[in-house]
Amino acid sequence: MFKYLFAKNEDIPAGSAAVFFGFSAIVWFVIGTGLGSFNAAKLAFPDFVTGNMYFAFGHMRQVHVHAVIFGWISMAFAMAMMYIAPALGNNKLWSEKLGLWNCMFWNVGLALGLTVLWAGITSGREYSDFPWPIDLYLAVFVFIPLALNVWMTVLNRKTQGIYTTNWFFIASLFMVIIVFLVGNSPEFFHLSGLTEAYLTWWFAHNVLGLWITPVAAAIAYYTVPKVTGNPLYSHRIGHLHFWSVVVFYSTPAAHHLMSAPLPEWLKSFASVEGVLILVPAIAFVSNIMLTMKGKWYMFVENIEIRFTITGCLMAIPLNMQGGFQQTRAINWYIHGTGWIVAHAHLALLGFSTFLEGAAVYLGLQTIMRRKLYSLTLANMHFWLLLIGFTIYWVSMTIAGLIQGAGKIYEVPYIDVVIAEHPYMIARWIGGTLVFVGNVLWLYNMWMTARKGTEVPVGRMPHELSYER
Amino acid sequence: MSAEKKTYRSFWLILVSGMLTGMGNGSVFGAAMMCLMGRGGFANWGGAGMDSYNPSTFTGFVDWTMIVFGLAFCVILVVGLGGHEKLEAKQAA
């Protein structure tokens, strides 16, 4: 891959950047979930690895968070964009070379940023913990080149209209750049107090709402029709999904700060917007489910569809929780508890990871023209991910409810810690299953690249049977 | 894929997907209900040990709501997917 960095653009095979991004994403997923498992072990067994500040929970937690968001999730998005945008435009990626350098700078910047965080140099603002030079680096060398490449690819398309997936791609890239630059302004301009708090959550929520959620959904709009062969059930519902995300989901930041002395109208406004997320959510889930008409057997038989539909199903509890947990009454109960941690994992490890997983499985096989090395390993990956995640999510939700009840009943803190200990152990087991699944995935995709059966031109990988 | 294998896989998919989806919705319903009803006496917080599965306690009520909703969603999936399969079989015939 590195040899192409200095090659002429026309000499670089199509899809090289996507393959580079795909494997980078999987590697960061293994690292991110490995760190997550380690951190969970520290919560489950407080005496596990003590005495070294670099292995303290406070140092490592944000490394885990940033590795999965900006390593796994965002790089998987970049991978999906680099092969789906040209596929839908019936053309090539605008610049494979820019894509390769983009991936290179991304890996270097992220490694640097995580090292800095690990060393304890942090802005201390959740989800935007990177110090401001790293934030600027990510905007200039990561998101802007990616946006340029995708926008130019869509502009140079050979098809007439722009398919739903590409709307989401081009809009989300625009929005994430704005979110990155404006959301980090407290650091650039030394803003403090409520302004900093508000902008911190404006950043954090919009990274989820205007980047992760819409791009993950956009992937499903591609994978389901592509793999099943069914046309998208309704482009009009796709329109509704797209515009309602843009309108309702750009301002709910204050719902993270329901007890802060922010203006009451702002909190009420944010809360109402938060409930209105149900509009795009229901539009998205129903559209995808109806697209599956006549092909439901693929939910059981096909690995990409199984990943995609499971991710879509998770959008239901995700948005029911998300829509209502930020209303004042429920927020009073569950704010600051493990419930929120469970919900965040439902969004990132549940909903979006399953959709991206499908994109990476499909994309790597399609671009490399190699059928998956082992379907058994892929099935094991799916089940380890799903069972591990479910154990994690259920245990953390219940732990959160216990913490919330403990808070309301003013139970001594240590009693709450003792009560939730079994759930912390369950959380560690769940997280570790996810990590093991990802190691298997990395091996499977590596072997696919090396030994996968060649896929003939014009065929889909899942159409071929295994020869061995 | 054989019918037996498909049933086996469907069973696990329905169980996990149904429980997950239902428990998510149940958690919201249960928490909202508890907020509406308010707290009871200190002994009813239901946080420690098996008390968190005692439906008469504050926490236990929500936990049980989650479990019941989870099972209900599994039933919905069984009925829905079963009906769907019949429709598809009819179309195929």
Side-chain angles (χ1 to χ4, degrees), chain A residues 27-264:
Chain A
V27 169
W28 282 115
F29 198 18
V30 171
I31 294 171
T33 47
L35 288 167
S37 169
F38 185 86
N39 290 350
K42 290 184 77 71
L43 293 174
F45 316 107
D47 294 331
F48 175 66
V49 189
T50 51
N52 185 336
M53 75 169 186
Y54 293 108
F55 293 108
F57 184 80
H59 274 257
M60 293 187 63
R61 186 251 180 193
Q62 44 195 331
V63 183
H64 157 68
V65 170
H66 287 69
V68 291
I69 293 181
F70 296 108
W72 156 238
I73 294 174
S74 297
M75 289 186 107
F77 282 170
M79 185 267 181
M81 288 174 178
M82 297 221 162
Y83 84 90
I84 294 176
L88 290 171
N90 196 20
N91 60 351
K92 286 185 175 176
L93 187 68
W94 183 61
S95 171
E96 284 289 342
K97 193 167 181 173
L98 178 63
L100 288 171
W101 276 103
N102 191 187
C103 188
M104 185 77 183
F105 278 126
W106 198 321
N107 280 314
V108 170
L110 190 61
L112 182 69
L114 296 182
T115 309
V116 164
L117 284 184
W118 208 323
I121 302 167
T122 163
S123 72
R125 296 166 53 238
E126 191 165 9
Y127 288 106
S128 52
D129 301 73
F130 286 135
W132 67 266
I134 304 281
D135 290 331
L136 276 182
Y137 177 98
L138 289 178
V140 174
F141 292 104
V142 167
F143 289 113
I144 292 176
L146 175 65
L148 183 68
N149 221 348
V150 174
W151 290 341
M152 290 307 291
T153 305
V154 176
L155 273 176
N156 291 326
R157 71 191 181 279
K158 290 176 186 158
T159 50
Q160 229 177 1
I162 300 179
Y163 181 66
T164 317
T165 299
N166 272 349
W167 302 343
F168 277 100
F169 284 172
I170 52 184
S172 299
L173 282 164
F174 172 72
M175 293 187 290
V176 78
I177 292 168
I178 302 291
V179 167
F180 229 84
L181 293 175
V182 177
N184 282 305
S185 56
E187 274 181 84
F188 303 145
F189 305 112
H190 298 289
L191 305 176
S192 60
L194 272 178
T195 317
E196 182 187 8
Y198 182 71
L199 274 168
T200 297
W201 284 109
W202 188 84
F203 173 90
H205 198 94
N206 284 350
V207 163
L208 302 172
L210 299 179
W211 173 241
I212 296 175
T213 314
V215 181
I219 288 170
Y221 279 122
Y222 176 78
T223 46
V224 173
K226 182 75 183 170
V227 178
T228 60
N230 281 353
L232 181 66
Y233 175 73
S234 165
H235 285 82
R236 192 166 288 184
I237 297 178
H239 282 239
L240 175 70
H241 176 199
F242 179 81
W243 287 110
S244 51
V245 162
V246 172
V247 173
F248 301 144
Y249 222 44
S250 49
T251 44
H255 73 209
H256 290 263
L257 298 160
M258 294 304 268
S259 302
L262 281 172
E264 287 303 311

Side-chain angles (χ1 to χ4, degrees), chain A residues 292-297 299-301 306 310 313-314 316-317 320-321 324 329-330 332-334 339 346 379 382-383 386-387 389-390 393-394 397-398 401-402 404-406 408-412 415-416 419 423, chain B residues 1 5-7 9-10 12-14 16-17 19-25 27-28 30-32 34-35 38-49 52-53 58-59 62-63 66 73 77 81 84 88 91:
Chain A
M292 283 292 291
K293 199 175 172 190
K295 296 287 169 67
W296 274 100
Y297 64 90
F299 179 39
V300 177
E301 291 182 3
R306 202 186 313 157
T310 309
L313 282 173
M314 286 189 199
I316 301 170
M320 285 301 283
Q321 280 198 326
F324 293 106
I330 302 183
W332 162 75
Y333 181 8
I334 50 99
W339 167 300
L346 179 57
N379 282 331
F382 174 83
W383 285 108
L386 185 60
I387 293 170
F389 160 74
T390 306
W393 178 77
V394 170
T397 303
I398 294 176
L401 289 167
I402 290 172
I408 292 165
Y409 281 82
E410 296 167 34
V411 175
D415 289 344
V416 178
Y423 302 98
Chain B
M1 188 182 291
K5 201 169 181 188
K6 207 186 270 187
T7 311
R9 283 201 186 169
S10 305
W12 287 108
L13 269 174
I14 286 170
V16 180
S17 309
M19 286 307 284
L20 188 64
T21 316
M23 287 177 96
N25 293 334
S27 67
V28 178
M34 280 294 98
C35 288
R39 73 173 202 185
F42 183 80
N44 295 325
W45 81 289
S52 44
Y53 298 96
F58 192 89
T59 314
V62 196
D63 287 345
M66 288 170 70
F73 268 66
L77 271 179
L81 289 175
H84 209 89
E88 282 180 9
Q91 269 176 357

